[in-house]
Amino acid sequence: MDGPAEFQFVNSNSSISDMDDYDISRLLGKPRLNIERQRSFDERSLSELSIGFARGGVDNFETYSPGNRSGLDTPASSMRNSFEPHPIVADAWESLRKSLVYFRGQPVGTIAAVDHQSEEVLNYDQVFVRDFVPSALAFLMNGEPDIVKNFLLKTLHLQGWEKKIDRFKLGEGAMPASFKVLHDPIRKTDTIIADFGESAIGRVAPVDSGFWWIILLRAYTKTTGDLTLAETPECQKGMRLILTLCLSEGFDTFPTLLCADGCCMVDRRMGIYGYPIEIQALFFMALRCALAMLKQDAEGKECIERVAKRLHALSFHMRNYFWLDFQQLNDIYRYKTEEYSHTAVNKFNVIPDSIPDWVFDFMPTRGGYFIGNVSPARMDFRWFALGNCVAILSSLATPEQSMAIMDLIEAKWDELVGEMPLKVCYPAIESHEWRIITGCDPKNTRWSYHNGGSWPGASLLFSCAVVGSNGCLHQNGAATNSATSN
């Protein structure tokens, strides 16, 4: 993946060595995917100013030099003003800067949320790895990479801590879900407290934090042109530790990554246990980023070989078994069960009667998506926004699949977007199913929070996915449906 956040789109018949040929700065100049709906004046203003901001940021990526904060000969403040055609953008930057967290005088991230009306903030006053990524991309586009570099180094330092939960030691490569800075005004000292899952609601360690860290490191490298950070022994070791944790051999027969409920952005037990699409897409994205940054030395060479093999197997598995379109839905509906041997068509022994009724109304004749989960005797047919958008951005989805995902969103706009930001998943679980799966979690009632709630943060990935899927149309050469490619 190339570009500010590793957004790169390659032909499905490209080899891994070809994966650095496309970047978002080239794609932004091309016609955008035509997704239209009736919008109010305020909505049009917001979308237009956002596109203008993104274009301005991307246009300056190539002119950025590591020694110049703004990337231009003008002051950084002047550069920021050039991106602020609307007062809302200025307000957004002001709010973002107010959320900055400092450690020993240096900004190291942004807190998850600022709520002046609530006295009980729980852990929202902490810097979350996954939540900081959109802020980090904004700072990179605005020519302020120092904040991102400080964050990357600080979380890398936290990775080296001994991580114990109830006398049980976590793997070396585990990254924290979040960290908090405590200021002592009397002693004038700063202390960091990291959370690896021992304080989290549900006590679940984050699987996605390590992936986001690798992706952000690659974004920093591509944006600044500064290769020295990623090539330091510390960063190389940090990447290898994360990859070793994820690529370890076990009893699993699938190349996907086994994960627990609550291990990622869709948490608080939402029935995603197994192989959730969000984690698999981030896993694929992080592997590709790592492949571009790992050094060909004695320690890195073996890791590179393992990454390349896993990418090959993972892309084949995901494109074949997680993909659902109208034709595949018909095939599953006609599956035979209890098939034995390697010739079985219904490899996961999915019972056709387990297909929920809503899927038949939801699936358009033109379009498709990666379903939420695939495991023995079970397919989670829910739509998850983050996983599908990241699949496009990382080229986990083929060009044809990328366009099909966008066709689905266009056909089901009212259900997936409506008048609000993108829904994190669809449909929401409710009634008896909600009681069983969530444990009657009042925070995850239907159409709220993780249970079909509207997430503004997902809009960034969706916007980039629109650009990416549109870029697939302009690639040279005919696309192929071969799932064994890439």
Side-chain angles (χ1 to χ4, degrees):
M1 266 181 353
D2 260 351
E6 290 316 295
F7 304 143
Q8 180 207 13
F9 322 98
V10 300
N11 197 311
S12 61
N13 60 359
S14 301
S15 64
I16 290 175
S17 62
D18 295 328
M19 288 180 177
D20 254 353
D21 293 343
Y22 302 90
D23 62 62
I24 197 171
S25 60
R26 298 190 187 101
L27 297 176
L28 278 172
K30 297 174 180 176
R32 294 190 300 276
L33 184 68
N34 183 25
I35 296 182
E36 297 181 351
R37 65 188 180 98
Q38 295 296 321
R39 299 177 298 171
S40 66
F41 172 80
D42 290 339
E43 286 177 308
R44 285 196 298 273
S45 301
L46 266 173
S47 62
E48 287 158 8
L49 69 90
S50 299
I51 291 171
F53 173 77
R55 286 181 183 274
V58 173
D59 288 342
N60 285 296
F61 283 155
E62 301 301 325
T63 61
Y64 177 81
S65 59
N68 187 352
R69 277 172 57 95
S70 67
L72 301 171
D73 294 330
T74 55
S77 59
S78 300
M79 177 180 168
R80 286 195 295 271
N81 290 335
S82 67
F83 296 158
E84 297 172 359
H86 195 287
I88 292 179
V89 178
D91 291 343
W93 272 109
E94 183 180 357
S95 297
L96 184 60
R97 297 191 189 286
K98 285 182 179 179
S99 71
L100 282 169
V101 174
Y102 291 83
F103 179 75
R104 296 176 182 173
Q106 295 292 323
V108 292
T110 52
I111 60 175
V114 180
D115 187 357
H116 301 291
Q117 298 179 348
S118 176
E119 295 181 1
E120 186 181 8
V121 295
L122 290 178
N123 57 349
Y124 288 101
D125 61 347
Q126 300 186 27
V127 179
F128 276 79
V129 173
R130 69 177 71 104
D131 289 35
F132 177 67
V133 171
S135 300
L137 297 180
F139 285 122
L140 287 175
M141 287 193 292
N142 207 33
E144 301 179 60
D146 291 345
I147 302 172
V148 181
K149 183 176 182 179
N150 293 340
F151 170 84
L152 289 168
L153 290 173
K154 187 52 60 182
T155 46
L156 181 63
H157 173 72
L158 296 176
Q159 183 195 41
W161 286 13
E162 185 181 59
K163 302 169 276 284
K164 281 188 175 181
I165 298 179
D166 291 339
R167 303 179 184 179
F168 180 74
K169 187 177 179 181
L170 273 67
E172 277 190 279
M175 281 284 187
S178 62
F179 64 86
K180 183 174 183 176
V181 178
L182 299 178
H183 302 282
D184 188 332
I186 299 176
R187 297 181 180 179
K188 296 182 179 180
T189 58
D190 290 344
T191 306
I192 281 186
I193 299 177
D195 178 19
F196 292 91
E198 70 273 23
S199 300
I201 298 173
R203 301 303 187 264
V204 178
V207 175
D208 61 333
S209 291
F211 300 152
W212 283 122
W213 187 87
I214 292 176
I215 292 166
L216 189 56
L217 177 62
R218 180 67 171 148
Y220 171 87
T221 300
K222 290 296 296 183
T223 305
T224 64
D226 179 14
L227 304 177
T228 57
L229 179 62
E231 291 179 350
T232 60
E234 293 78 13
C235 282
Q236 290 289 310
K237 181 182 177 181
M239 280 190 287
R240 289 196 304 270
L241 287 175
I242 294 170
L243 296 172
T244 299
L245 192 63
C246 301
L247 298 173
S248 58
E249 297 172 347
F251 291 97
D252 210 328
T253 58
F254 313 135
T256 41
L257 200 61
L258 182 63
C259 304
D261 267 317
C263 70
C264 56
M265 188 178 76
V266 181
D267 63 15
R268 306 295 291 277
R269 186 167 177 88
M270 279 298 299
I272 63 171
Y273 181 89
Y275 308 90
I277 178 60
E278 175 185 321
I279 290 296
Q280 311 316 317
L282 285 172
F283 184 32
F284 184 87
M285 195 175 193
L287 289 177
R288 289 193 55 187
C289 292
L291 196 64
M293 294 187 291
L294 286 169
K295 296 172 72 174
Q296 289 273 4
D297 54 20
E299 293 178 301
K301 194 170 183 180
E302 181 183 355
C303 192
I304 289 172
E305 291 176 356
R306 295 178 68 188
V307 168
K309 290 179 180 178
R310 191 62 167 261
L311 277 168
H312 184 77
L314 185 60
S315 61
F316 176 86
H317 184 92
M318 296 298 296
R319 292 169 182 174
N320 279 274
Y321 304 126
F322 273 69
W323 182 253
L324 187 69
D325 55 21
F326 190 80
Q327 181 59 50
Q328 180 67 3
L329 183 59
N330 274 292
D331 292 343
I332 296 173
Y333 186 71
R334 290 166 175 79
Y335 268 168
K336 295 180 180 179
T337 59
E338 307 304 326
E339 292 181 306
Y340 180 75
S341 89
H342 63 278
T343 60
V345 175
N346 186 3
K347 295 186 177 182
F348 296 92
N349 198 37
V350 175
I351 310 299
D353 287 344
S354 68
I355 304 175
D357 293 338
W358 64 263
V359 176
F360 297 99
D361 294 327
F362 180 71
M363 179 60 68
T365 54
R366 180 168 165 262
Y369 66 105
F370 289 101
I371 63 175
N373 216 323
V374 176
S375 55
R378 176 177 177 263
M379 298 181 82
D380 184 349
F381 290 91
R382 284 178 294 175
W383 150 271
F384 287 91
L386 180 66
N388 277 273
C389 289
V390 172
I392 294 175
L393 298 176
S394 63
S395 292
L396 172 59
T398 66
E400 293 86 357
Q401 289 173 336
S402 297
M403 293 307 301
I405 292 171
M406 286 298 153
D407 287 339
L408 174 84
I409 295 175
E410 183 176 17
K412 299 297 177 180
W413 184 272
D414 290 340
E415 291 89 340
L416 302 180
V417 183
E419 298 301 322
M420 296 288 287
L422 207 63
K423 290 181 174 63
V424 67
C425 67
Y426 181 89
I429 55 177
E430 52 188 323
S431 302
H432 185 59
E433 187 181 18
W434 167 77
R435 293 184 179 89
I436 294 174
I437 293 177
T438 72
C440 299
D441 186 353
K443 213 167 192 176
N444 278 329
T445 54
R446 63 174 184 167
W447 309 118
S448 63
Y449 207 30
H450 300 96
N451 191 12
S454 297
W455 285 31
S459 301
L460 168 66
L461 289 168
F462 171 62
S463 301
C464 295
V466 171
V467 175
S469 60
N470 188 50
C472 292
L473 291 176
H474 298 276
Q475 295 177 21
N476 294 326
T480 177
N481 284 322
S482 173
T484 58
S485 62
N486 207 1

